[in-house]
Amino acid sequence: MTATQTLHERGQSLWLDNITRGMLDRGVVQRYIDTYAITGLTSNPSIFDKAIESGDYDDAIAAAAPKFASDEDLFFALAIEDLQRAADEFLPVHERTDGVDGWVSLEVSPLLAYDTAATIAAAKSLYERAARANLLIKIPGTREGLPAITEVVASGIPVNVTLLFSADHYAAAARAYLDGVQQRVDRGLDPAVGSVASVFMSRWDAAVADQVSAQLKDQLGLAVGLDTYRAYRRFMDSDDMQRLENAGARVQRLLWASTRTKDPAASDTLYVHGLAAPFTINTMPDATLEAFHDHGRVGEMMPADGDECDLMLRRFADAGVDVGALAARLQEQGAKSFVSAWKDLLGRIAAQRASLT
């Protein structure tokens, strides 16, 4: 049994953090489903930007450009078409797992990260346009994004909460999700609305690489992961969650994101084998997935009690790392980087549109 299959058998879902039209046309996504135990897919503006740069979308842009006045509308038309195809490929997984797995994700514009009302409107519009039951709408877990998550979940729309970096961020996202589910229970509606909470990992270690000793290098992300997983398991066992489960609700699953190793001296599967845990998802880019399938190992699964994460986090505090402040800074930087990637994407579409039409 391969490492990817072993991890799947031990209760962790593996998702692909990539999508291009070329991959779909060549059957790459289906191959990953069939041979690598991949059961879902995530996307973001940077992924689409690189895909459009490759030329895979030239014909589609030329054909669709006259139908859409704005570059943003044109992008969403292209992205939705791709994600509809991907959602259809994952539909057998979605049906076999009764909606636990088999999801794909589409992000609202990063420009809306601090605009609650606009995020709600965009999420509802995109979900309606995509018309796929196994599509998650990605909403950032910023202060303004949290009430949007509650409202969107209350509307019955599945949500991928993104831009989370810590146990506290995760807890806030879980609360926002639970509040939306509670509203559905209060209204007599089906509370089984799919959701994942995406916690970004590798950026922690990249942020402190020049600040900590060799003994602490590439350890902060895993320590935060242990702390977050402990919070997740406590949430699963909480009275509120179990009470809503009795009403038909489902747990919002924890997803490890940003799992490509940034340090060339570290293992290329650091954030895969290091974050192996049941009841979770790990979404990874092609290179990380291929590496784990080729030479990855599956050791002990993450303990539900956090193990020695408090001791590890104290060591970073002693080294001058304020984890709480860094989490806030990483979320702010992440939102800015998504905006930058979004602008690059729209700029590329505009340039392609002009050259092709």
Side-chain angles (χ1 to χ4, degrees):
M1 187 179 293
T2 65
T4 52
Q5 291 168 330
T6 300
L7 205 52
H8 177 76
E9 290 298 318
R10 293 197 184 181
Q12 184 173 55
S13 297
L14 303 183
W15 288 8
L16 176 66
D17 189 27
N18 193 14
I19 185 172
T20 69
R21 188 153 296 187
M23 291 173 63
L24 292 164
D25 291 342
R26 295 190 302 272
V28 174
V29 174
Q30 189 62 55
R31 178 170 64 85
Y32 283 155
I33 294 172
D34 294 338
T35 62
Y36 286 28
I38 290 297
T39 56
L41 178 148
T42 51
S43 65
N44 62 50
S46 294
I47 288 172
F48 279 110
D49 186 26
K50 292 176 183 176
I52 290 170
E53 182 183 20
S54 72
D56 278 355
Y57 292 80
D58 286 358
D59 291 343
I61 290 173
K67 304 174 187 176
F68 300 97
S70 74
D71 296 324
E72 182 174 295
D73 286 340
L74 176 55
F75 161 70
F76 276 122
L78 299 172
I80 286 172
E81 185 176 339
D82 284 357
L83 287 164
Q84 285 173 329
R85 291 177 61 186
D88 292 344
E89 292 194 12
F90 283 105
L91 185 59
V93 177
H94 190 71
E95 293 176 340
R96 184 176 68 248
T97 60
D98 193 26
V100 172
D101 227 327
W103 296 94
V104 302
S105 296
L106 174 64
E107 188 164 6
V108 299
S109 166
L111 301 177
L112 309 180
Y114 302 103
D115 188 330
T116 303
T119 295
I120 293 169
K124 291 180 177 180
S125 174
L126 289 174
Y127 188 68
E128 182 178 357
R129 287 171 63 184
R132 292 296 186 275
N134 58 328
L135 181 132
L136 298 160
I137 298 297
K138 293 176 75 173
I139 297 175
T142 57
R143 183 178 63 182
E144 294 80 4
L146 294 173
I149 292 160
T150 296
E151 173 60 29
V152 171
V153 169
S155 299
I157 297 173
V159 171
N160 177 343
V161 185
T162 187
L163 277 182
L164 306 175
F165 286 90
S166 67
D168 287 343
H169 285 175
Y170 158 73
R175 186 72 256 172
Y177 167 71
L178 219 57
D179 288 346
V181 170
Q182 182 64 62
Q183 288 186 30
R184 292 187 65 79
V185 171
D186 293 343
R187 298 171 191 168
L189 301 173
D190 182 3
V193 181
S195 183
V196 300
S198 298
V199 182
F200 288 42
M201 305 312 302
S202 64
R203 299 187 187 193
W204 283 100
D205 293 312
V208 301
D210 298 329
Q211 185 179 343
V212 300
S213 66
Q215 290 77 15
L216 293 179
K217 198 169 185 182
D218 297 318
Q219 295 299 308
L220 182 53
L222 298 181
V224 170
L226 282 165
D227 187 32
T228 305
Y229 186 60
R230 175 175 59 183
Y232 173 57
R233 294 298 294 266
R234 287 175 176 172
F235 167 69
M236 291 176 68
D237 294 336
S238 68
D239 291 343
D240 285 349
M241 187 65 250
Q242 293 185 359
R243 176 175 51 79
L244 286 173
E245 280 188 288
N246 281 338
R250 291 184 171 177
V251 173
Q252 177 192 57
R253 298 174 74 198
L254 177 62
L255 180 149
W256 307 120
S258 185
T259 55
R260 180 179 66 83
T261 304
K262 303 293 195 294
D263 181 2
S267 167
D268 55 0
T269 64
L270 174 65
Y271 303 107
V272 183
H273 68 252
L275 296 168
F279 312 113
T280 68
I281 303 159
N282 193 314
T283 187
M284 60 193 85
D286 305 54
T288 304
L289 173 64
E290 296 278 2
F292 189 70
H293 184 266
D294 176 66
H295 55 261
R297 59 177 178 83
V298 181
E300 294 295 320
M301 304 297 275
M302 295 176 75
D305 62 1
D307 197 22
E308 296 184 348
C309 69
D310 292 329
L311 175 61
M312 295 169 68
L313 292 172
R314 277 199 298 273
R315 288 174 180 164
F316 281 97
D318 292 342
V321 177
D322 185 331
V323 173
L326 180 54
R329 187 162 74 250
L330 287 173
Q331 187 178 71
E332 181 181 357
Q333 291 173 348
K336 289 180 178 178
S337 70
F338 276 17
V339 167
S340 178
W342 182 254
K343 291 179 177 179
D344 289 345
L345 168 63
L346 295 186
R348 189 174 306 283
I349 287 178
Q352 295 281 80
R353 185 175 192 158
S355 66
L356 293 168
T357 61

